[in-house]
Amino acid sequence: MRILLTGAAGFIATHIARQARERGHEVVGVDAYLAAAHGPDVAPDPMIHRRDLRTDPLDDLLTDVDVVCHQAAMVGNGVDAQDLPAYAEHNDAGTARLLAAMARTGVDDLVLASSMVVYGDGRYTCPRDGDVPPATRREDDLAAGRYDPRCPRCDGDITWRRIDEDTPFLPRTSYAASKIAQEHYAAAWTILQGSRAVALRYHNVYGPGMPADTPYAGVAAIFRSAIARGEAPRVFEDGQQVRDFVHVHDIARANVLAIEQVAEHPTGLTSYNVASGQTFTIGQMAETLAAAAGGAPPERTGDYRAFDVRHVVASPEKARAGLGFTAEVAPEDGLARLASDPLRVR
């Protein structure tokens, strides 16, 4: 297959390209080489076309392409309202222009990088009210060290549960809103064109080549960088925030499976959670990294940010059934290796 891979110079896309080529596919890479992601003095890979999806022509790159794997995006939290225009311009307008070019050139299959952030703080179970979204965490609770959200109906205690792909969207950041918009644009494109799209909702991705010092760096890279400086990882709240950490090897493999199978999907958008299926707390992750590196144990600071997600854990069942995807790298193994994995430094 001939694949157009956007964001091809990025962390996840480089792993996708390698695995796709190992399986005999041809990869045509395109990347804008944004300074925020790659630094101002990056030397572009001559094998990757330098194009900005928002402004540059795309039709020529889509010639004879079978499927587009769309990884390009501005990521990070985007927790300030002033960030909204940048996320909308990069992620949403860029995606819309890509989809329009695909329609002009007759490319009918798309694999889209989405994210668990579309779910916000997941879903919970209340003993009285059943399945509920969490109430917004209150400042007085956070200041008193009560970090778990309350029931939005009775104000009582609630317990997190695994979420599936039918869970309603609850965006909390500019980035989350832009990923939802990308899915909506893709869904509309499939209806207008009679085409197919697979959206892969990544959970917490980590692994070799993670950005160490950019807005793209996640908590795993932040902790890893602190350990490398001889510092103890600083864990917010009480460290009991529950997540699913999924290795970039598995993220890339899920993409290649989707690339190879999207044409067999029905017309429309099909979404899949891409997760390890194993729960891990932020505190456990910091402890695993520190122990593997022989560094100082994590410091639980009690610091908090009201907009942070407390718990979000997905069910991997739909991806297992629909793509044949099951994660191969256990978090305890992959996170221990991350202690010595090379990171990408601008």
Side-chain angles (χ1 to χ4, degrees):
M1 298 176 71
R2 183 176 170 88
I3 305 160
L4 179 67
L5 177 64
T6 72
F11 164 47
I12 293 173
T14 54
H15 289 266
I16 295 171
R18 182 172 60 253
Q19 289 193 26
R21 290 183 175 121
E22 288 172 353
R23 291 177 67 90
H25 301 300
E26 179 184 359
V27 178
V28 178
V30 58
D31 199 293
Y33 284 96
L34 297 177
H38 301 283
D41 302 317
V42 63
D45 184 335
M47 300 301 292
I48 296 175
H49 299 273
R50 188 168 191 169
R51 304 275 180 95
D52 189 322
L53 300 185
R54 297 170 298 170
T55 55
D56 293 332
L58 304 172
D59 295 38
D60 61 314
L61 298 181
L62 289 161
T63 301
D64 298 325
V65 160
D66 298 298
V67 57
V68 171
C69 184
H70 183 29
Q71 303 295 312
M74 179 177 175
V75 298
N77 279 330
V79 296
D80 190 306
Q82 299 309 309
D83 297 330
L84 286 164
Y87 281 92
E89 290 161 9
H90 282 281
N91 297 357
D92 305 337
T95 298
R97 289 194 71 252
L98 173 64
L99 294 171
M102 291 173 67
R104 287 193 299 272
T105 55
V107 181
D108 291 329
D109 293 319
L110 171 72
V111 175
L112 171 68
S114 188
S115 172
M116 66 167 191
V117 297
V118 300
Y119 301 124
D121 210 348
R123 300 290 285 190
Y124 291 73
T125 299
C126 172
R128 195 195 82 168
D129 297 302
D131 175 25
V132 294
T136 301
R137 296 194 295 175
R138 301 186 330 211
E139 182 65 31
D140 59 333
D141 277 345
L142 293 168
R146 178 189 170 124
Y147 302 116
D148 285 322
R150 297 175 183 266
C151 177
R153 298 171 188 162
C154 70
D155 205 38
D157 292 337
I158 53 178
T159 305
W160 66 266
R161 67 174 183 84
R162 289 185 184 272
I163 51 180
D164 61 23
E165 289 80 356
D166 293 330
T167 301
F169 292 151
L170 288 171
R172 300 168 66 89
T173 64
S174 305
Y175 176 57
S178 74
K179 298 310 286 186
I180 292 170
Q182 284 186 311
E183 288 202 31
H184 285 166
Y185 275 112
W189 167 79
T190 64
I191 294 169
L192 293 169
Q193 293 300 118
S195 51
R196 297 158 295 274
V198 167
L200 301 178
R201 295 173 182 166
Y202 305 159
H203 283 251
N204 295 264
V205 188
Y206 70 95
M210 285 184 73
D213 61 348
T214 79
Y216 290 58
V219 66
I222 292 169
F223 289 168
R224 163 74 165 73
S225 297
I227 292 166
R229 295 192 300 268
E231 302 170 3
R234 292 174 54 82
V235 179
F236 278 20
E237 301 181 11
D238 57 0
Q240 295 304 304
Q241 307 94 312
V242 180
R243 296 290 189 274
D244 186 306
F245 293 96
V246 57
H247 196 275
V248 68
H249 164 82
D250 286 320
I251 292 287
R253 194 164 56 84
N255 272 275
V256 175
L257 288 170
I259 287 165
E260 293 175 344
Q261 298 177 48
V262 61
E264 302 167 10
H265 280 63
T267 298
L269 175 74
T270 306
S271 298
Y272 295 105
N273 292 320
V274 182
S276 73
Q278 300 184 43
T279 59
F280 233 64
T281 67
I282 298 290
Q284 284 177 303
M285 184 264 285
E287 289 165 1
T288 299
L289 279 173
E299 175 188 351
R300 287 171 169 77
T301 66
D303 294 341
Y304 60 84
R305 299 179 298 189
F307 58 79
D308 279 344
V309 169
R310 179 61 176 171
H311 308 298
V312 57
V313 181
S315 167
E317 293 305 316
K318 186 178 177 182
R320 181 179 294 117
L323 294 175
F325 170 78
T326 302
E328 294 178 340
V329 182
E332 58 269 24
D333 297 331
L335 288 168
R337 294 204 302 267
L338 183 64
S340 56
D341 280 339
L343 301 185
R344 178 182 298 190
V345 180
R346 295 194 303 171

